[in-house]
Amino acid sequence: MEAMFILLVAIGVVVIAMLPTSFYRLITRLFSWGDWGIRKNKRKHDYDDELADLFLLLSFVFSVFYYRLPWYPILYSVFFWLSYLSMMGQASRISLREKKRSRRSLLLCLSVMAAAAYLSSIGAFNHFHAWLDTTVFRQSLRNGHHLISLYTIKHHEGIVVLLQALLYFFSFYVVWAQFKCLRLEETYKGRNLITFWIKILIISALFILTASAGFRWIHALYFIKY
């Protein structure tokens, strides 16, 4: 199941990156947000993106309280892909100035990062065990076990929820950070596409490593076997 899900997402981001320019003009028109939220910072003689900051704040709130929400994986998926489309709206606007090959490379690069962040956060690299652990943790909260100081020492679910929260937040952060850079600086975060690809691959590898090894280390520490 996990392999099929990863394959579908991988194919999806490649297809999206290869879509014609007319599609990206539509994405730009619908999700670039225009000049909404851009404010001049007189103190710094620069511009702030209050829209991106607002979405980052909402992302933080969601990441902190996600385990209390019903159907949180669906809510996360909807919010994340809306964030992805917003980033791609800015990327497509910038990429139209580039040559066709460079344009495809930039869009694919950002899509790879988004796919790695999403798959890592949704649980595709750890057999979706975090979903079960979150359910157990929620039940423990209802029973008042969180009030016992030794609960976290004896049970691993609280640590899993914390790690999952970090994955959720940073998956949003990398997307909105790119959105903010593309929107305010009119370019991507790199001297050229080669260095940008290197940065993106490192970020993607860190997401995958955290999602796969992080949960395994927690389970090994608590002697959990599935």
Side-chain angles (χ1 to χ4, degrees), residues 111-146:
S111 296
V112 167
M113 179 195 71
Y118 175 74
L119 289 171
S120 300
S121 302
I122 206 67
F125 297 117
N126 51 59
H127 307 293
F128 304 100
H129 286 323
W131 294 12
L132 176 61
D133 292 334
T134 301
T135 301
V136 174
F137 182 76
R138 185 186 300 164
Q139 293 173 349
S140 300
L141 288 179
R142 292 173 181 173
N143 295 331
H145 291 168
H146 62 294

Side-chain angles (χ1 to χ4, degrees), residues 26-105:
L26 176 62
I27 292 296
T28 300
R29 187 163 62 250
L30 294 177
F31 294 99
S32 64
W33 297 94
D35 295 330
W36 291 1
I38 296 180
R39 297 289 183 269
K40 188 174 182 179
N41 190 324
K42 296 181 179 180
R43 183 181 301 177
K44 297 180 180 179
H45 302 286
D46 201 354
Y47 289 91
D48 294 329
D49 191 341
E50 295 181 353
L51 178 68
D53 293 339
L54 174 62
F55 277 113
L56 280 173
L57 176 61
L58 293 175
S59 303
F60 178 77
V61 172
F62 173 84
S63 302
V64 171
F65 297 104
Y66 78 92
Y67 59 88
R68 295 181 177 272
L69 301 174
W71 305 102
Y72 67 86
I74 297 177
L75 295 176
Y76 167 75
S77 297
V78 171
F79 190 17
F80 181 85
W81 291 112
L82 285 176
S83 302
Y84 167 75
L85 288 174
S86 298
M87 177 185 69
M88 295 301 281
Q90 293 297 324
S92 62
R93 181 175 61 84
I94 300 301
S95 67
L96 291 174
R97 307 170 186 173
E98 305 285 340
K99 295 180 180 179
K100 185 175 181 179
R101 182 175 297 178
S102 298
R103 180 168 68 246
R104 299 296 188 196
S105 180

